[in-house]
Amino acid sequence: MKKIIALVVALFLVGTILVPMARINAENVTAVKIYIDKSTAYVNGKATTLDQPPVIMNNRTMVPIRFVTEAMGATVDWSNEERKVTITLGENIAILKIDDAKAQANGYDVYLDSAPTIIVKTSRTVVPVRFVAETLGMEVTWSGTERSVLIKHSPDWQPVEVSFWHAMNYTQGEVLDSLIEEYNATHPRTEIQGTVFSSYNPLQQKTIAAIAGGNPPVLTQAYENWVAEYITGGYLTPVETFVNGANGLLKSDREDFFGNMWANGYLPDGKMWMLPFNKSNIVMYYNVDMLEENGIAVPKTWDQFEEACKLLTKEDNSQWGCSYTPSVDLWYARVYEYGGEVLSKDNRKVLLDKTSAALNATTAMNDMIQNGYIHVTSGYNYQTDYGNQKCAFTFASVASYYYMNKAVGGRFTFAEAPLPAGPAGQHSVMYGTNVVIFGSTSSQAQQDGAWDFVKWFTSPRKTAQWAMGTGYLPVRKSALELPEMKEFLVNHPEVHAGYDQLANCVLQPPISAWNNSRRDVNATLEKIYLGKISPEGGLKELTVKLKANIGEK
Amino acid sequence: MKRLKTIKLSNVLTYAALTIALVFTIFPFYWMVASSLNRPETLFAFPPKLTPDFYFKNYIDMWNNPPGGVSWWRYIGNTVFIAGITTILSVFNSSLAGFAFAKLKFPLRNKIFILLLGLLMIPGEMLLIPNYVILKNLHWLNTYQAMIIPWCASVFGIFLTRQFFKTIPNELWEAAQVDGCSIGRYFFSVAVPLAKPTLLTLALFVFLGSWNAFLWPLIVATDYAIMPLEVALNAFLGSEGTQWGLLTAASTMATVPILILFLIFQRQFIEGIARGAIKG
Amino acid sequence: MTEEVVLQRRKRLRAIKEFLTGYLFISPAVLVLSIFVILPSIFVFYISTLDWNMIGPKYFIGLTNFTNLLFKSPYASEFWGSVFVTVKYVALSVPLQISVSLILALLLMRPIKFRSFFRLGIFVSYVTPLVATSIVWMWIFHPDYGFLNSFLRLLHLPTSMWLLGSPSALISLVIYTTWHAIGFSTILFMAGLTGVPTELQEAARIDGANANGVFWHITWPMLSPTTFFILIISMIGAFKMFTPVFVMTRGGPYYTTATTGYYLYVKAFEDWAAGYASAVAVMLFLLIFILTLLNIKFTGRKVFYAGEQSRGE
């Protein structure tokens, strides 16, 4: 009996060692290393000579076609008349044309930074290695110190799964889903799996609950004040690690992001934890027809706005100047427009009571409400009023464009305008979320996959596609130079406002205390607008609350 | 010979008052169903239309746009599963314990029972946070067991079953013992069948409580895939805030099963409530 | 002699078996209750001494959370505000609920036809899920397109902002919860009324008392345990009330409908201030405990947290 037990135990031990070993061999990975300007390459450690050394063109590493195919087992089909080459590996297909920057990856058009070309000296055709390798499902790693590229591939690989939690619904969700689909198709090594939440509130809650439960996603949208909370447990990998890493952003790319959006990715500790993802700001939506009929020009200041609302408000409650669901965000921008600040730059002091700006801004808005020029709504009911032409103005994010479009249903022409200016200038508030990557519970491959996705998503062409489809703003300045973007802006003059006022946007405090402070501001505004407390009284209460929230003595 | 029925004023008033009360309690259900069958234009029309349009598209749209991309079947299934398992476990645990407290002798029996009774004074809300942390440490957050296990034993259930088992005459029990019947067999083949009405009432209340539970599953279920119906409804409210046709359709769908259950077991429900008021 | 010994041994064995079976039988329930009721009851006191956001490091701060919520602005104003909201809610809803359900119970006890039909209809609202019915009432309360305001407008009566105004939001909640619970208290009153001996009522009537006198001098006093029971249950329920607040008003406008139960949730699971929220939980427990003691003292009844009530409704 004892002998049988010993035998079984021994077999078991052997098995547990052999099986994983067998599995590693069965992984069947081919690794190829190439060096810039060197003709020797290494395939699984064995040296081989290239007739054309890899070169860098337009910041992209180019390699001879034959090398790609032979080393990795891909097949190449060459069409002479079209000067087109089709590279196939398994189910993945990359199609490139000589001297043409447009290529196809698994059915999608891709614009290359560096087109395939023929090197005169060796009459060899070179293709961009990263594009080809990624399209075929391989892993590409660049080393700046060695000036080398390591390409790995295995036919046994399953895509790296990257969970992505977001709150993009309706049109925004459709566009995001199609972009995720495009990324997954053109980058078969990774599979981004999106999970949608009905709005930002549940997204934030579920994320923290998931962190507490030990299984947060790899990638998620987040506002700055949420992220301030997430980092308290060391759960995130700061985005700057990736920005400065092997698959990072060139200096020109970094500077191509809109300045205040890029700055938005930083937390007070000086680290860049987030990457801007879906950014927007608040604009004034107006009914073009209604203003024309009443001979009113688009208001550029709050005084003009009040005048316009007064004219448009009817006694019998059938029409108001403006319908609006009060929010912290518009109030925040207005405080700045009236020359004040909410918190000090170091977020340690409340500045609401230091000047009369906040009071003036709040009183002005409150007067309009008490006079009936503004109809206070809740939730999305302002869209219903707007669509039913019961008001001429409302305030919402540029990203609400398609929702507003649906509410309007083609009944009238509508457009966006920058927020009216206050005595101290014109400001709007930066809106929309960034993305963060969880490091404590995700593998390196998952994190790299998540980073590659957001890097691709925020590239000029893709951010333009995102902006045009959803109403969000592109995050790259160069996106505005793209022909499709230019055409879009020409055809849609009604969406210029968000772009025009972008430089004037203020950012909300990126501290965790701002989260419940927003709720306190909202509650105070509710109280004031319902006439239960005067603006002075309300702001006094609010100042006390904010001081306690941020821990100011 | 004709008999004249005297119509007393007090009777007329009684029926009138009761009818008004009935209208008050039933009207929201009627309005829920009627609104779910109305076109969007009708919903926003003035004066309000009392009769439904029989516009079924709301149900189709609601069914095709579940929150979180998870089918409504799944949400219903989750609720049935969670409520069902909780009920089975709870009835099992409570009847076992109730029987033991009623009929078996073991040291500290009465002291333990009094301790458990004392637990009745602890409100569930106080335990939300610590239970959450306990689940977190068990790695049970965002699982089905998180919504089942903490609720599969209740002092109320033990109390109820103990009360019943005490009514079984001791002679029956002693006779069985003399016959060499083991405790277990006595319990399963004699005590439990006798307790069926009580167990049914208990089961109904546990099932109802689990079906209608909201706060706990809200904080514990992060994945849409395991959410019960009430939590899914709340998420639906978040994503379809102004689509009242769809919202009322979803509410109808969530309410009808319970209404049916209630209509079948109305006597047990009502008696159970009444009994809860009798001196313990 | 040996027969006695054998009998004694058999008896002892049976006794031991009974001990063990007894413990075995109660173990599943006791295990679950120990882990999920007894343990957390003690654990919550520990957490209330921490400054902790659930996912980061814990900082021990002693009784600071308690001093904050009891005395220090703005925490104290939030906490006591929630207590005040609950008290206001109780003051509005309890007399309404008790009087209406008592009247209904009295009417239902009369010799009428269709009694079970009426009783059924009145009770139905109690068993239906709160979220589903809250959504329906939100629609009914909608200030622009809801049934109530449309109905008022038809009658040329002033409309209300219902869930969006103050104090109309709290009144709306009172209406909703009364609608929901009326069946419950009616049934309880009916059970209590059956306990009032009819001989006493008849004797009083023979002595010349009219219906009013019978009610106030016989029925009402004999009902007082039931009445008090409903009073206490309602008050406890009011402090804990969560779901209708969460779905319909989110505690608004400006916290005027935030009950202590709702406040606890917000602090714990939206602000993730686990330590402070635990202190609120302990205070909530104390308030409810006092009410429970009063209940036991005056009626001798234990409070039953049947089914849904223990889940934080």
Side-chain angles (χ1 to χ4, degrees):
Chain A
M1 183 63 188
K2 275 203 203 151
K3 278 205 206 140
I4 302 178
I5 297 177
L7 184 63
V8 168
V9 169
L11 277 175
F12 179 71
L13 283 173
V14 169
T16 50
I17 300 175
L18 277 185
V19 168
M21 274 183 66
R23 225 187 290 141
I24 291 175
N25 279 340
E27 266 239 329
N28 204 357
V29 181
T30 315
V32 174
K33 195 137 187 217
I34 57 174
Y35 294 83
I36 304 297
D37 295 332
K38 297 227 174 38
S39 321
T40 318
Y42 297 87
V43 179
N44 280 341
K46 279 207 337 236
T48 176
T49 318
L50 305 169
D51 41 12
Q52 164 65 48
V55 292
I56 294 193
M57 289 175 163
N58 274 342
N59 283 320
R60 294 283 172 202
T61 308
M62 317 285 282
V63 296
I65 291 190
R66 188 142 314 177
F67 168 68
V68 171
T69 62
E70 281 170 9
M72 289 305 190
T75 47
V76 176
D77 277 307
W78 177 254
S79 157
N80 250 327
E81 324 91 68
E82 301 177 75
R83 307 232 293 164
K84 186 174 82 169
V85 59
T86 309
I87 312 176
T88 316
L89 179 60
E91 293 177 338
N92 301 315
I93 307 175
I95 303 176
L96 306 99
K97 285 208 188 122
I98 303 295
D99 295 327
D100 189 351
K102 191 161 114 169
Q104 274 86 44
N106 291 322
Y108 285 90
D109 285 341
V110 180
Y111 291 85
L112 305 169
D113 290 331
S114 180
T117 188
I118 301 182
I119 302 284
V120 176
K121 202 161 73 162
T122 56
S123 22
R124 290 280 173 252
T125 316
V126 289
V127 292
V129 69
R130 185 175 278 274
F131 166 72
V132 172
E134 282 179 350
T135 308
L136 299 180
M138 308 178 194
E139 268 177 22
V140 183
T141 317
W142 161 260
S143 165
T145 42
E146 291 183 337
R147 301 240 302 160
S148 71
V149 180
L150 174 64
I151 309 159
K152 294 214 284 213
H153 177 68
S154 164
D156 302 325
W157 272 349
Q158 295 298 330
V160 174
E161 292 179 0
V162 174
S163 46
F164 175 33
W165 286 11
H166 63 88
M168 303 285 86
N169 287 282
Y170 185 46
T171 318
Q172 300 163 344
E174 285 162 20
V175 178
L176 181 61
D177 285 342
S178 68
L179 281 168
I180 291 180
E181 216 179 283
E182 180 180 340
Y183 179 81
N184 288 342
T186 53
H187 297 77
R189 184 73 187 103
T190 316
E191 186 183 329
I192 308 287
Q193 297 167 335
T195 302
V196 62
F197 292 84
S198 52
S199 68
Y200 285 135
N201 242 327
L203 173 62
Q204 180 200 14
Q205 266 210 288
K206 300 296 184 190
T207 307
I208 295 212
I211 297 175
N215 56 350
V218 179
L219 181 70
T220 183
Q221 286 181 321
Y223 269 107
E224 314 80 56
N225 57 65
W226 308 357
V227 179
E229 200 76 62
Y230 299 165
I231 63 175
T232 58
Y235 300 99
L236 301 178
T237 306
V239 143
E240 62 182 24
T241 316
F242 299 98
V243 169
N244 298 324
N247 184 19
L249 289 172
L250 299 169
K251 183 150 178 280
S252 53
D253 288 320
R254 279 179 263 146
E255 291 170 355
D256 187 32
F257 279 80
F258 284 104
N260 47 7
M261 292 186 191
W262 186 258
N264 193 219
Y266 284 80
L267 283 182
D269 64 357
K271 285 214 189 101
M272 186 182 190
W273 289 92
M274 316 165 261
L275 188 72
F277 192 76
N278 52 310
K279 308 305 286 180
S280 60
N281 52 35
I282 301 192
V283 290
M284 179 172 70
Y285 284 85
Y286 65 96
N287 184 331
V288 177
D289 300 338
M290 206 187 276
L291 289 190
E292 258 175 39
E293 282 162 28
N294 289 281
I296 303 176
V298 182
K300 293 221 183 343
T301 68
W302 285 107
D303 289 335
Q304 290 174 357
F305 175 80
E306 186 165 349
E307 278 303 310
C309 284
K310 195 167 167 183
L311 273 167
L312 290 164
T313 302
K314 297 211 175 108
E315 282 290 316
D316 57 359
N317 264 346
S318 62
Q319 189 174 291
W320 304 278
C322 164
S323 275
Y324 164 62
T325 298
S327 72
V328 188
D329 311 285
L330 181 62
W331 173 86
Y332 194 87
R334 280 169 54 89
V335 171
Y336 280 80
E337 286 187 313
Y338 276 72
E341 286 175 88
V342 179
L343 295 185
S344 59
K345 289 238 172 3
D346 59 1
N347 300 311
R348 284 188 197 282
K349 286 199 271 292
V350 179
L351 301 179
L352 275 184
D353 48 352
K354 298 289 181 266
T355 67
S356 57
L359 180 58
N360 293 340
T362 314
T363 311
M365 176 66 86
N366 189 40
D367 287 344
M368 283 193 274
I369 291 175
Q370 301 304 335
N371 285 335
Y373 305 153
I374 299 183
H375 176 221
V376 172
T377 52
S378 69
Y380 293 111
N381 290 319
Y382 66 92
Q383 290 177 1
T384 320
D385 280 354
Y386 187 75
N388 288 330
Q389 303 211 58
K390 300 189 87 170
C391 64
F393 301 105
T394 189
F395 298 97
S397 155
V398 287
S400 300
Y401 177 76
Y402 285 98
Y403 290 92
M404 302 294 277
N405 206 17
K406 186 178 181 203
V408 167
R411 283 188 280 269
F412 56 89
T413 319
F414 76 98
E416 301 168 15
L419 286 187
Q426 199 273 343
H427 288 289
S428 179
V429 63
M430 179 79 75
Y431 220 29
T433 52
N434 306 319
V435 284
V436 287
I437 299 178
F438 281 85
S440 58
T441 44
S442 326
S443 69
Q444 191 59 46
Q446 287 174 313
Q447 294 180 55
D448 291 336
W451 163 251
D452 191 63
F453 169 66
V454 297
K455 179 181 170 193
W456 173 87
F457 191 90
T458 53
S459 61
R461 277 233 148 67
K462 293 303 155 198
T463 193
Q465 190 178 335
W466 171 248
M468 292 188 288
T470 58
Y472 277 106
L473 298 168
V475 300
R476 298 280 206 122
K477 296 182 229 175
S478 57
L480 298 174
E481 303 305 317
L482 292 170
E484 61 260 33
M485 192 84 215
K486 284 191 168 156
E487 192 186 324
F488 175 80
L489 289 173
V490 163
N491 290 336
H492 291 273
E494 72 273 14
V495 302
H496 288 186
Y499 297 80
D500 296 339
Q501 63 176 14
L502 182 54
N504 295 342
C505 286
V506 293
L507 302 173
Q508 294 187 41
I511 53 174
S512 57
W514 186 242
N515 197 18
N516 39 339
S517 300
R518 282 176 58 92
R519 201 179 55 233
D520 291 331
V521 174
N522 250 336
T524 309
L525 292 179
E526 272 179 336
K527 205 168 169 182
I528 296 175
Y529 297 156
L530 279 174
K532 302 296 176 176
I533 197 172
S534 69
E536 295 99 302
L539 284 179
K540 242 193 234 151
E541 274 183 15
L542 181 61
T543 308
V544 171
K545 272 221 162 137
L546 291 183
K547 284 195 174 142
N549 284 345
I550 65 174
E552 180 185 348
K553 298 295 171 205
Chain B
M1 173 111 156
K2 265 207 258 176
R3 262 207 262 171
L4 279 172
K5 273 211 216 145
T6 35
I7 306 175
K8 295 210 292 198
L9 179 65
S10 58
N11 273 355
V12 169
L13 286 179
T14 305
Y15 281 113
L18 284 176
T19 313
I20 294 176
L22 193 66
V23 167
F24 175 64
T25 46
I26 298 292
F27 178 74
F29 291 107
Y30 172 74
W31 195 239
M32 170 177 79
V33 179
S35 300
S36 69
L37 293 172
N38 274 342
R39 279 175 224 284
E41 310 87 71
T42 321
L43 289 172
F44 297 123
F46 178 79
K49 187 163 171 281
L50 279 179
T51 50
D53 293 336
F54 291 103
Y55 175 72
F56 287 95
K57 188 159 182 293
N58 284 333
Y59 282 91
I60 300 175
D61 285 342
M62 178 263 298
W63 195 262
N64 286 335
N65 285 305
V70 171
S71 154
W72 284 108
W73 280 123
R74 181 78 194 232
Y75 292 127
I76 296 174
N78 286 341
T79 317
V80 171
F81 175 71
I82 294 169
I85 302 285
T86 309
T87 306
I88 295 173
L89 287 178
S90 188
V91 170
F92 180 73
N93 289 338
S94 300
S95 51
L96 269 181
F99 179 76
F101 282 119
K103 288 292 182 214
L104 301 179
K105 295 188 198 42
F106 49 93
L108 301 178
R109 179 187 74 174
N110 289 332
K111 288 211 178 59
I112 297 179
F113 184 66
I114 297 198
L115 170 68
L116 290 183
L117 276 191
L119 297 182
L120 280 176
M121 300 201 285
I122 299 178
E125 282 63 23
M126 180 171 98
L127 309 179
L128 276 181
I129 301 169
N131 266 332
Y132 190 81
V133 178
I134 291 174
L135 283 189
K136 171 173 177 288
N137 292 330
L138 285 174
H139 294 290
W140 276 8
L141 278 181
N142 198 30
T143 59
Y144 282 113
Q145 53 267 38
M147 295 186 269
I148 295 175
I149 306 290
W151 309 103
C152 69
S154 80
V155 183
F156 174 67
I158 297 176
F159 184 86
L160 205 64
T161 52
R162 174 180 178 271
Q163 229 187 350
F164 174 79
F165 284 126
K166 274 188 134 182
T167 66
I168 301 183
N170 277 334
E171 298 83 49
L172 206 64
W173 172 222
E174 275 151 29
Q177 280 183 303
V178 166
D179 282 348
C181 173
S182 77
I183 301 177
R185 189 136 61 88
Y186 179 76
F187 175 73
F188 282 107
S189 23
V190 181
V192 167
L194 283 176
K196 275 219 192 95
T198 309
L199 294 185
L200 178 63
T201 307
L202 177 63
L204 284 173
F205 276 99
V206 175
F207 190 82
L208 183 68
S210 184
W211 186 281
N212 290 346
F214 181 61
L215 178 50
W216 182 247
L218 176 72
I219 61 180
V220 150
T222 327
D223 266 337
Y224 283 98
I226 62 168
M227 280 184 192
L229 208 45
E230 282 270 270
V231 182
L233 260 185
N234 178 59
F236 195 56
L237 177 66
S239 61
E240 301 287 342
T242 50
Q243 309 271 58
W244 292 104
L246 301 190
L247 289 171
T248 44
S251 294
T252 309
M253 177 188 69
T255 318
V256 163
I258 287 293
L259 282 180
I260 296 176
L261 189 72
F262 173 67
L263 286 174
I264 300 175
F265 292 107
Q266 44 180 285
R267 194 172 51 90
Q268 282 83 352
F269 272 119
I270 296 183
E271 273 178 19
I273 298 279
R275 206 168 340 149
I278 307 297
K279 258 199 200 200
Chain C
M1 227 26 213
T2 30
E3 233 191 73
E4 264 234 27
V5 171
V6 168
L7 271 173
Q8 288 278 39
R9 203 176 296 161
R10 227 188 271 160
K11 255 217 205 142
R12 227 182 300 140
L13 265 172
R14 239 191 290 152
I16 293 177
K17 250 215 220 148
E18 202 169 311
F19 286 178
L20 292 177
T21 318
Y23 281 122
L24 180 70
F25 272 33
I26 67 170
S27 53
V30 170
L31 183 68
V32 170
L33 290 173
S34 305
I35 300 178
F36 295 106
V37 182
I38 301 180
L39 175 61
S41 315
I42 306 169
F43 193 30
V44 74
F45 286 94
Y46 167 65
I47 304 179
S48 67
T49 61
L50 302 174
D51 173 10
W52 185 40
N53 70 352
M54 199 72 83
I55 58 177
K58 302 182 173 85
Y59 303 101
F60 181 75
I61 55 170
L63 293 176
T64 314
N65 283 326
F66 289 96
T67 49
N68 277 349
L69 71 83
L70 286 175
F71 309 117
K72 205 165 156 252
S73 199
Y75 307 103
S77 55
E78 282 177 356
F79 173 71
W80 291 112
S82 73
V83 174
F84 186 49
V85 165
T86 315
V87 169
K88 270 197 284 195
Y89 169 79
V90 166
L92 285 173
S93 68
V94 172
L96 180 67
Q97 188 168 328
I98 289 187
S99 44
V100 173
S101 53
L102 183 54
I103 294 174
L104 286 180
L106 286 168
L107 291 176
L108 282 172
M109 297 297 278
R110 306 188 83 219
I112 50 163
K113 288 197 261 220
F114 312 122
R115 174 181 304 122
S116 34
F117 174 67
F118 279 115
R119 191 183 56 177
L120 195 73
I122 291 172
F123 189 70
V124 149
S125 51
Y126 185 67
V127 296
T128 45
L130 284 173
V131 176
T133 48
S134 296
I135 291 178
V136 178
W137 274 94
M138 274 176 87
W139 171 230
I140 294 179
F141 281 132
H142 196 290
D144 300 321
Y145 307 109
F147 179 78
L148 274 179
N149 271 358
S150 300
F151 189 64
L152 289 172
R153 235 173 269 144
L154 266 179
L155 300 179
H156 296 289
L157 290 170
T159 58
S160 161
M161 289 184 71
W162 297 112
L163 294 168
L164 298 179
S166 175
S168 56
L170 196 60
I171 294 178
S172 313
L173 274 181
V174 170
I175 296 176
Y176 171 75
T177 49
T178 306
W179 171 85
H180 176 73
I182 203 79
F184 177 72
S185 23
T186 307
I187 298 293
L188 284 186
F189 270 128
M190 285 176 74
L193 282 173
T194 50
V196 176
T198 38
E199 307 88 56
L200 271 179
Q201 295 174 311
E202 278 174 23
R205 222 168 289 147
I206 291 174
D207 282 348
N210 63 359
N212 240 351
V214 171
F215 178 73
W216 285 113
H217 295 281
I218 310 272
T219 319
W220 177 252
M222 295 225 69
L223 270 183
S224 53
T226 311
T227 313
F228 199 79
F229 179 68
I230 295 179
L231 176 70
I232 295 290
I233 290 273
S234 307
M235 286 170 72
I236 292 177
F239 274 104
K240 302 198 297 182
M241 182 163 71
F242 173 75
T243 306
V245 179
F246 180 79
V247 177
M248 295 203 270
T249 63
R250 289 297 173 119
Y254 62 94
Y255 305 130
T256 49
T257 54
T259 54
T260 312
Y262 181 74
Y263 180 60
L264 170 59
Y265 166 80
V266 168
K267 280 295 165 192
F269 298 104
E270 283 190 9
D271 294 347
W272 299 96
Y276 178 77
S278 296
V280 175
V282 170
M283 292 305 301
L284 183 65
F285 164 66
L286 285 176
L287 288 168
I288 293 181
F289 187 67
I290 295 174
L291 290 173
T292 314
L293 283 182
L294 284 175
N295 182 42
I296 296 183
K297 185 163 194 270
F298 281 95
T299 67
R301 283 184 195 151
K302 313 277 190 289
V303 176
F304 286 115
Y305 293 95
E308 62 190 292
Q309 285 176 304
S310 61
R311 289 168 182 279
E313 294 300 314

